[in-house]
Amino acid sequence: MEDFRPHNAAGSPAPIDTTIADALQERITHARVRMLYGHMPVTAWTLGGFIIVIGGLIHFTQPAPLTLPTLAWLTLALVLAVTRALHAQSYFRSANRQAPFWRRSYYWLSLVFSVCWGALPWALPISHDQQLATAIIGVMIGMAATGAAQISSDRANVRAWTVPILASSAIYCANTGGPLGWFGFISIMGFLVILWLEADRAHRRISEMLRLRFESEELAHARAQALHEAESLSAAKGRFLATMSHEMRTPLHGILGLSRMLRARLRQPEDLSQIGLLHNAGEHLLGVINDVLDFSRLKDHGLRLNARPVLLNELARHVCELSQVTARDKCLVVMLRSELPDHLWLQADPDRLRQVLTNLVGNAVKFTAQGHVVVRLGLDGGDTAGPDEGACHVVFEVQDTGRGIPEAHIERIFDAFHQVEAHDDYQVGGTGLGLSISQQICMAMGGKLRCESRVGIGTTFSFNLALPRTHRPSDEVASAGLPHDLFNDDDGAPRLAGRVLVVEDNLVNALVAKATLESLGLEVVVAENGLRALEWLAAHEADLVLMDFHMPEMGGIEATRRIREMEVRQGWSAMPIVAMSAGDQIDDHRHCLEVGMNDYVSKPFVPRDMNRVLRSHLQNLGPRRGLAAVQAPCGASHPATAEPHPMQA
């Protein structure tokens, strides 16, 4: 067995796993056998036909009848040709072509067939016909060369085929005597040596090519397997993050909800300050969770934008107002300076744009000890904000008077998890993902986030976006782009009325949802899972269902399917079903619509967000339900319109 292992500089074979080397050599051997048998059927039938031609040629060129040796040779040659052809068919029909039998049998059949052809000059009566003898010797040499080329993948079979034929031809030439005979002997033997050496070179060359081919296949297979494993790990990471998000968001929803409820009841400044700290800590934790999930989604699935009409001045004003709550504690001022008209409606993704501005303003407040933070909105170059259609090139800037960023860190400021180390007592927290996510959002919207900073003077983050102008949308679409107040509902809106079934297994979250909905003027019934909700709906009527996704006994997806089936079976009109989930907002939103839900609200929610969703589904109900005829302040008491139920919280 040849050693095809790579060699080192000293000329000795490089170390390699013996099992792998043996398996590779076995594959090379089997490949050579397949190549041999691939030529065998055509060659065998061709030689069989050629044998018949030789018999006819001798019959018509010789006056005497065919002799017994001639007939014996013709018969044996035909039998061997047919045997080789049938043997090749047996190989291709075999279920175990890797067996050593096939290589050995091919070798011995080649050797016997070659010996038979080598006996041709001795078996035919051609000694008295020099022209016929020359033709037969030439045919044998051509057969040896052609066969050697066809089976060059295996040198042992090349030698078994060529040596008997050429050696017999050379000896026959020498036996005729004379200079011409000896010239033929020397020429044929020289040709045999050349074929012998070339067979060895071809054998090694083909073996090397087969080795490279199989190694490439193994490498491709290993890469495909590694890619599959990487995709599986990525999917597992996504499932893990989604699960952890749900597990963390669920109690966090209760914490933030209870803090809002307590804030509404407290009156002492010290108590309000403490509950504010608690709420801010919860919001910070929620921001960390959102950053990690956003970063994971951006890496795995890219960024999906949802563009709609938006007033940039209004959006930036709300971002500044929310940031002012934190800035006030540090005696900072957050200012908005905009060159854009208040009536300028542009097409953009307000949620993603708000996410970038909130992150930039939040960082500015976080890293500024004294002074101010300025948010600027302007137009790039000679652009105008006229009524003409087209793109409006808007410049966004967030400038602070903070400690600044060292020049060595500016190039890496947008790298994931990179944070500038603090060397003083002013320590801040965070994940180091906010700027990386903001940069990816800006790039997805066609811009690029830039940073200019001087240590001790301040930092300016800026980006430019080309946003198409659009017309004022309907009130419902416009309100969808507005940000949410952390604590207060819209006091100027009419109160809601109606009965809402909250399907939620977490008692704290159910309590928060119940209090939030009752503050909006709604009657609330709570069911602990989908199965209990179905039992309640079979005997009672609800104007809307708030359905959690993940619950014991029966989750929100299956419960929604059952409710829709029950409505079709009973001939009822479809009631609005709004999903509540603490999982992946994008995937859950799409999934809830696919299973028959009408809308989606993410946990932890805030009253204004919940108010908007409920108002869009309850405003078209009858006089008893939907919008109440009498406007009342948020949180006012109202009479219950249904009998208490055992599942009611």
Side-chain angles (χ1 to χ4, degrees):
M1 180 182 298
E2 298 81 15
D3 189 355
F4 294 105
R5 290 180 294 173
H7 288 64
N8 55 28
S12 58
I16 191 173
D17 193 305
T18 305
T19 304
I20 298 177
D22 292 343
L24 180 59
Q25 183 60 43
E26 187 176 357
R27 291 189 65 186
I28 293 174
T29 300
H30 295 156
R32 284 205 300 262
V33 172
R34 287 196 302 271
M35 296 170 66
L36 292 173
Y37 277 97
H39 296 289
M40 194 174 189
V42 176
T43 303
W45 292 117
T46 301
L47 290 178
F50 195 63
I51 292 169
I52 297 175
V53 172
I54 291 177
L57 180 64
I58 296 173
H59 174 71
F60 289 108
T61 58
Q62 300 296 322
L66 297 178
T67 61
L68 182 61
T70 301
L71 290 174
W73 184 90
L74 291 172
T75 302
L76 178 61
L78 279 174
V79 170
L80 290 175
V82 173
T83 301
R84 283 170 60 87
L86 296 177
H87 182 70
Q89 293 181 5
S90 300
Y91 169 81
F92 289 114
R93 293 174 181 173
S94 173
N96 186 20
R97 299 178 189 175
Q98 288 76 27
F101 162 78
W102 297 108
R103 186 184 183 194
R104 291 196 297 264
S105 60
Y106 188 98
Y107 175 84
W108 287 109
L109 279 175
S110 296
L111 182 61
V112 172
F113 204 23
S114 177
V115 171
C116 177
W117 278 97
L120 177 60
W122 311 97
L124 300 182
I126 59 174
S127 58
H128 60 282
D129 191 338
Q130 187 175 4
Q131 185 178 5
L132 182 59
T134 302
I136 292 297
I137 294 300
V139 167
M140 293 175 62
I141 294 173
M143 286 176 48
T146 303
Q150 290 180 337
I151 60 177
S152 60
S153 60
D154 189 271
R155 63 185 171 197
N157 281 279
V158 171
R159 294 167 181 174
W161 172 252
T162 58
V163 171
I165 295 178
L166 295 180
S168 175
S169 300
I171 294 172
Y172 184 84
C173 291
N175 190 54
T176 60
L180 188 61
W182 284 106
F183 174 76
F185 173 82
I186 295 173
S187 300
I188 294 174
M189 292 305 295
F191 184 56
L192 176 60
V193 172
I194 293 174
L195 285 180
W196 185 289
L197 296 176
E198 187 60 31
D200 184 72
R201 292 179 56 190
H203 180 92
R204 288 184 173 275
R205 188 163 53 248
I206 292 176
S207 296
E208 182 68 17
M209 289 190 295
L210 289 172
R211 183 182 68 82
L212 292 176
R213 169 191 162 189
F214 293 141
E215 287 180 346
S216 298
E217 291 178 355
E218 290 293 334
L219 181 60
H221 176 72
R223 286 178 176 175
Q225 187 174 4
L227 179 61
H228 177 72
E229 292 177 355
E231 291 174 347
S232 300
L233 289 175
S234 178
K237 182 193 71 174
R239 291 193 298 270
F240 171 77
L241 287 175
T243 302
M244 292 303 298
S245 167
H246 180 267
E247 294 301 322
M248 290 187 290
R249 281 174 179 268
T250 297
L252 189 58
H253 172 56
I255 294 172
L256 294 177
L258 289 175
S259 68
R260 282 195 300 269
M261 294 168 58
L262 291 174
R263 184 185 180 97
R265 297 175 183 176
L266 296 176
R267 295 292 180 267
Q268 297 298 325
E270 183 178 356
D271 295 337
L272 289 172
S273 175
Q274 292 176 354
I275 201 65
L277 292 174
L278 173 64
H279 191 91
N280 289 338
E283 289 289 346
H284 176 73
L285 178 57
L286 179 61
V288 171
I289 296 172
N290 290 336
D291 282 349
V292 173
L293 290 176
D294 276 344
F295 183 77
S296 176
R297 279 197 295 264
L298 289 172
K299 289 296 184 183
D300 294 340
H301 309 295
L303 182 64
R304 286 168 279 191
L305 299 176
N306 180 23
R308 54 189 185 272
V310 61
L311 288 172
L312 293 185
N313 285 345
E314 187 72 14
L315 185 147
R317 187 176 297 112
H318 280 86
V319 171
C320 292
E321 289 175 355
L322 293 178
S323 302
Q324 188 65 48
V325 176
T326 305
R328 191 179 298 115
D329 296 337
K330 302 175 65 176
C331 298
L332 298 176
V333 178
V334 179
M335 298 177 288
L336 173 63
R337 295 177 180 175
S338 176
E339 300 175 1
L340 305 181
D342 289 336
H343 63 274
L344 179 61
W345 288 90
L346 299 175
Q347 193 79 3
D349 187 332
D351 297 326
R352 292 299 186 182
L353 194 54
R354 185 184 305 112
Q355 182 178 356
V356 174
L357 290 177
T358 300
N359 181 70
L360 296 180
V361 176
N363 280 350
V365 172
K366 183 191 304 182
F367 291 100
T368 301
Q370 59 183 358
H372 59 266
V373 175
V374 180
V375 179
R376 291 188 176 91
L377 303 183
L379 297 176
D380 187 11
D383 202 354
T384 62
D388 297 337
E389 297 295 333
C392 187
H393 298 270
V394 183
V395 181
F396 299 81
E397 286 188 1
V398 177
Q399 184 183 41
D400 64 59
T401 57
R403 60 185 183 181
I405 302 172
E407 185 177 356
H409 289 270
I410 291 181
E411 293 184 358
R412 299 183 55 201
I413 198 67
F414 299 113
D415 294 347
F417 304 106
H418 179 76
Q419 291 180 301
V420 180
E421 296 180 359
H423 299 287
D424 50 29
D425 294 333
Y426 183 60
Q427 303 288 337
V428 296
T431 61
L433 293 175
L435 289 178
S436 176
I437 295 172
S438 298
Q439 179 68 284
Q440 295 183 60
I441 294 174
C442 289
M443 294 177 67
M445 293 190 294
K448 184 177 181 180
L449 190 58
R450 299 178 297 274
C451 175
E452 297 179 2
S453 183
R454 295 179 63 184
V455 176
I457 296 179
T459 303
T460 300
F461 285 92
S462 63
F463 60 97
N464 295 26
L465 295 180
L467 303 176
R469 295 177 176 87
T470 187
H471 301 289
R472 176 184 176 87
S474 63
D475 293 339
E476 180 180 350
V477 176
S479 64
L482 294 177
H484 315 303
D485 196 316
L486 287 176
F487 293 105
N488 301 318
D489 189 18
D490 189 354
D491 295 339
R495 290 172 55 79
L496 294 171
R499 180 187 296 175
V500 175
L501 173 62
V502 176
V503 189
E504 169 65 70
D505 62 311
N506 186 283
L507 295 179
V508 176
N509 291 339
L511 176 62
V512 171
K514 183 175 184 292
T516 301
L517 298 180
E518 288 178 344
S519 70
L520 299 176
L522 296 168
E523 174 191 350
V524 182
V525 177
V526 177
E528 61 187 18
N529 56 53
L531 187 60
R532 299 292 180 268
L534 289 174
E535 295 174 354
W536 189 89
L537 288 173
H540 301 81
E541 180 182 358
D543 297 301
L544 184 141
V545 177
L546 278 176
M547 183 76 71
D548 189 21
F549 261 47
H550 308 285
M551 294 176 290
E553 296 191 51
M554 183 183 294
I557 301 299
E558 180 62 24
T560 299
R561 292 196 182 100
R562 298 280 188 90
I563 291 174
R564 296 308 185 203
E565 292 173 357
M566 183 170 61
E567 289 172 342
V568 173
R569 188 169 56 252
Q570 300 293 339
W572 298 342
S573 59
M575 76 179 75
I577 301 179
V578 177
M580 295 190 302
S581 176
D584 187 298
Q585 299 182 26
I586 297 176
D587 292 340
D588 282 355
H589 196 178
R590 182 175 61 252
H591 195 190
C592 77
L593 298 179
E594 291 174 353
V595 300
M597 296 182 179
N598 302 91
D599 211 332
Y600 172 90
V601 62
S602 176
K603 294 189 296 187
F605 59 79
V606 291
R608 186 166 188 171
D609 190 10
M610 180 65 74
N611 188 359
R612 175 182 58 81
V613 172
L614 297 180
R615 194 172 299 277
S616 65
H617 294 287
L618 293 176
Q619 61 185 357
N620 295 323
L621 297 179
R624 191 186 71 84
R625 302 188 176 98
L627 292 175
V630 180
Q631 179 174 328
C634 180
S637 60
H638 60 281
T641 57
E643 297 179 0
H645 189 270
M647 290 180 291
Q648 188 168 344

